[in-house]
């Protein structure tokens, strides 16, 4: 076993112990109070004299914790990021163990957040402690962002970090999402909108024929489903095609009224050759066809909700190169991947900050029942992140 792996293996028990305590403090996004779970981290960091502070959004809500380890020499700052809030439990009675278990059974760490991403948060805190002891020789600095507004989709911790004038702007970010086989170096972007489809209201039993809002909305769904999107072959440098999905459809009440409004949610996953402008243009074209084919007194309304750009790092770009090279040196074969879902990497890409969005231990049950993380590979993952950071912080 290499020296890196030996040191990482020696840290494993402590990493798991901290992760267990985090799992046993529920932090479901939008449900639980985040103070207790962040308090666990604050106590751990304070006991080791690691500089840290809370992050708040514009409304004063607690959205994260930031650890900052300045180096003794000038240079770039690099950031490790792991979310400490979690998905909800779903049907807790369907779990084989309590969602807040935190137990280790047959080499698996059990419970909500074990894989996404409390184990990564515990690992990153330990890496920060390791590097704090050798900070005088580091160029730039290391930040660890512990986000508790990630699973809401608001990414409040990341936004507060970027808006914080006291924080050094990172030259790159590595996010600790799980998965051993791949380093995620890119992701599709998105364009999301709500669409309000209108029509005259009426009685469902009336002798007068009325094309209601639900019927008009259903026709719009057919138009959107039939819309042509570019294939992946049209953008060989980006391995995924764009995708359009109608994700919500609401309208009407009871049986006797033809509703005058139906609301849709539309999610378009974008690529470098089919961006947010293209997505909006496509949806507006379908809406124009609807209003021409099935006219109504009130035009169909489109309200954009959010948009993020796609991103993709080349394998020789930092911090992707550091992580891939470190994995090869430790003896783990990984490949670079562009993910279909969007993530904080898209938000950071919009700010011009290169990001990797996933490399960690094997896992099961992510966002589902019986979430668990496999611990046998933890020493390798720990050593890879630490080696990657040391290379970046020594380079200046």
């Amino acid at each position: 076993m290499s020296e890196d792996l030996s040191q990482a293996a020696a840290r494993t028990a402590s990493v798991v112990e901290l992760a267990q305590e985090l799992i046993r403090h529920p932090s479901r996004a939008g449900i639980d109070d985040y103070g207790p779970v962040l308090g666990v981290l604050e106590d751990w960091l304070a006991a080791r004299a690691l500089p840290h502070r809370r992050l708040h959004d514009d409304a004063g809500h607690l959205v994260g914790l930031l650890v900052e380890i300045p180096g003794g020499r000038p240079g770039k700052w690099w950031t490790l990021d792991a979310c400490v809030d979690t998905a909800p439990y779903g049907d807790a009675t369907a779990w084989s163990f309590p969602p807040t278990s935190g137990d280790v059974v047959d080499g698996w760490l059990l419970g909500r957040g074990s894989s996404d991403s409390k184990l990564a948060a515990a690992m990153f805190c330990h890496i920060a402690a390791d590097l704090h002891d050798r900070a005088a020789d580091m160029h730039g600095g290391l930040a660890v962002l512990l986000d508790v507004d990630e699973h809401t989709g608001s990414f409040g911790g990341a936004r507060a970090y970027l808006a914080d004038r006291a924080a050094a702007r990172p030259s790159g970010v590595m996010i600790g999402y799980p998965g051993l086989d791949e380093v995620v170096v890119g992701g599709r972007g998105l364009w999301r909108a709500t669409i309000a489809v209108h029509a005259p209201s009426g009685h469902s039993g009336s002798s007068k024929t009325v094309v209601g809002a639900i019927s008009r909305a259903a026709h719009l769904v057919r138009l959107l489903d039939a819309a042509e999107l570019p294939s992946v072959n049209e953008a060989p440098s980006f391995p995924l095609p764009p995708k359009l999905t109608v994700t919500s459809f609401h309208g009407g009440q009871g049986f006797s009224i033809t509703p005058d409004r139906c609301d849709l949610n539309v999610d378009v996953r974008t690529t470098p050759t089919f961006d947010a402008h293209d997505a909006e243009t496509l949806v507006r074209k379908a809406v124009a066809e609807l209003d021409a084919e099935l006219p109504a007194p009130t035009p169909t309304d489109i309200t954009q909700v959010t948009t993020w750009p796609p991103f993709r790092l080349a394998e020789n770009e930092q911090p992707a190169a550091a992580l891939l090279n470190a994995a090869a040196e430790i003896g783990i074969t990984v490949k670079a991947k562009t993910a279909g879902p969007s993530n904080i990497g898209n938000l950071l890409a919009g700010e011009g900050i290169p990001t990797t969005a996933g490399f960690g231990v094997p896992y099961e049950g992510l966002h589902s029942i019986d979430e668990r993380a496999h611990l046998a590979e933890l020493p390798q993952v720990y050593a890879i992140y630490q080696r990657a950071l040391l290379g970046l912080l020594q380079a200046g």
Side-chain angles (χ1 to χ4, degrees):
M1 183 180 289
S2 70
E3 182 178 351
D4 286 353
L5 283 175
S6 297
Q7 292 175 351
R11 300 291 265 158
T12 297
S14 179
V15 172
V16 173
E17 182 180 358
L18 178 56
Q20 288 178 300
E21 192 171 356
L22 294 174
I23 292 166
R24 290 165 182 161
H25 285 72
S27 53
R28 293 165 293 175
I31 298 174
D32 297 312
D33 178 8
Y34 302 134
V37 74
L38 287 184
V40 170
L41 291 166
E42 288 173 315
D43 289 345
W44 192 94
L45 294 165
R48 290 153 182 82
L50 295 178
H52 61 279
R53 55 193 169 89
R54 290 189 169 194
L55 296 173
H56 297 84
D57 64 15
D58 291 339
H61 299 132
L62 178 62
V63 291
L65 192 66
L66 183 65
V67 184
E68 295 169 302
I69 311 295
R73 302 176 182 181
K76 299 176 180 179
W77 278 70
W78 302 91
T79 299
L80 296 173
D81 174 26
C83 59
V84 190
D85 66 334
T86 73
Y89 302 149
D91 181 3
T93 64
W95 287 61
S96 302
F97 45 82
T100 55
S101 167
D103 292 343
V104 176
V105 178
D106 296 330
W108 291 88
L109 175 63
L110 309 181
R112 177 61 84 221
S114 55
S115 58
D116 184 15
S117 294
K118 291 182 176 181
L119 182 61
M123 177 178 65
F124 288 167
C125 286
H126 280 75
I127 290 175
D130 291 345
L131 297 188
H132 184 251
D133 294 337
R134 53 204 303 179
D137 296 326
M138 292 183 344
H139 293 263
L142 168 67
V144 178
L145 173 63
L146 303 162
D147 192 344
V148 288
D149 192 30
E150 194 265 9
H151 282 84
T152 62
S154 299
F155 298 162
R159 293 181 189 278
Y161 171 43
L162 295 176
D164 192 331
R165 294 182 180 179
R169 191 169 182 84
S171 295
V173 176
M174 290 180 278
I175 303 172
Y177 296 133
L180 189 69
D181 298 329
E182 298 158 333
V183 172
V184 176
V185 298
R188 286 188 291 201
L190 59 80
W191 180 86
R192 289 174 175 166
T194 60
I195 302 177
V197 179
H198 305 278
S201 62
H203 196 292
S204 60
S206 172
S207 59
K208 181 181 179 181
T209 301
V210 175
V211 180
I214 289 177
S215 296
R216 296 188 75 239
H219 186 66
L220 177 59
V221 172
R222 288 191 291 271
L223 291 171
L224 291 171
D225 284 345
E228 291 189 13
L229 296 168
S231 71
V232 69
N233 295 329
E234 296 178 42
S237 62
F238 197 86
L240 295 172
K243 182 181 181 183
L244 184 152
T245 309
V246 177
T247 59
S248 177
F249 190 106
H250 296 285
Q253 185 175 9
F255 295 92
S256 62
I257 298 174
T258 303
D260 60 2
R261 176 169 173 154
C262 186
D263 294 290
L264 311 178
N265 288 352
V266 177
D267 176 282
V268 184
R269 300 300 166 131
T270 60
T271 68
T273 57
F274 188 86
D275 60 14
H277 173 76
D278 298 319
E280 182 176 359
T281 300
L282 182 148
V283 171
R284 290 195 178 279
K285 179 182 177 183
V287 164
E289 289 183 37
L290 169 70
D291 288 347
E293 294 175 15
L294 298 175
T298 303
T300 302
D301 297 323
I302 302 173
T303 302
Q304 178 179 303
V305 174
T306 190
T307 181
W308 293 338
F311 76 101
R312 179 171 170 80
L313 301 183
E315 294 183 26
N316 61 352
E317 290 183 82
Q318 299 293 11
L323 204 52
L324 289 165
N325 291 338
E329 292 167 359
I330 293 296
I332 300 293
T333 301
V334 298
K335 61 181 180 180
K337 176 186 177 181
T338 299
S342 302
N343 52 62
I344 293 181
N346 297 86
L347 171 68
L348 295 167
E351 297 285 334
I353 299 172
T355 303
T356 60
F359 173 71
V361 300
Y363 65 94
E364 292 181 358
L366 187 90
H367 288 203
S368 183
I369 65 169
D370 289 354
E371 181 179 348
R372 57 185 187 166
H374 201 244
L375 298 176
E377 296 81 3
L378 180 58
Q380 290 99 319
V381 173
Y382 190 109
I384 288 166
Y385 271 108
Q386 188 162 28
R387 178 173 284 215
L389 281 167
L390 284 171
L392 293 168
L393 292 167
Q394 289 170 355

